[in-house]
Amino acid sequence: MSAPDPRVRLLTRPGCHLCDDARAVVEAVCAELGEHYDELSIDDDPELARRYGEEIPVTLVDGRQHDYWRVDPVRLRRALGG
C-alpha cells in the first residue's frame, strides 16, 4: 500500500536562503502534526518557473497556494487543522 500524497508541497530553487528558512518551518510543523510534505525545484519545471519564479519559496496546501516568500507556522498549522 503506497503512502498518501503529501498535503504540503514546497516549491523552491537551489541556493535560495528563504527556501531554507521555509523548509525548516514546514518540516517542524509537518512533524508536529504527523503530516508529510514534498519539495519541488521550480528550476526542473518551466511551467512552475514561469508561474512562481518571483514568489519562491511557495507553499501549497492541498494543492492550493498557501504562502510565498515566508511560511508562518501558526497559519500553516491552522491550514492543516492543527
Side-chain angles (χ1 to χ4, degrees):
M1 185 169 182
S2 65
D5 289 338
R7 293 186 62 200
V8 180
R9 172 163 283 168
L10 183 60
L11 303 178
T12 63
R13 76 171 6 129
C16 166
H17 73 279
L18 289 177
C19 298
D20 295 338
D21 295 346
R23 183 181 306 108
V25 173
V26 168
E27 282 179 355
V29 171
C30 286
E32 174 188 323
L33 298 178
E35 295 286 349
H36 299 282
Y37 81 97
D38 67 2
E39 184 173 332
L40 292 176
S41 169
I42 66 165
D43 289 350
D44 297 335
D45 185 321
E47 177 57 25
L48 290 177
R50 183 194 65 74
R51 185 168 178 190
Y52 297 111
E54 301 299 317
E55 298 178 343
I56 290 301
V58 173
T59 310
L60 306 173
V61 174
D62 297 327
R64 294 177 36 201
Q65 186 168 340
H66 176 71
D67 268 327
Y68 63 95
W69 294 334
R70 305 230 183 254
V71 181
D72 179 329
V74 172
R75 203 169 114 68
L76 180 58
R77 209 174 280 113
R78 191 177 313 125
L80 293 170

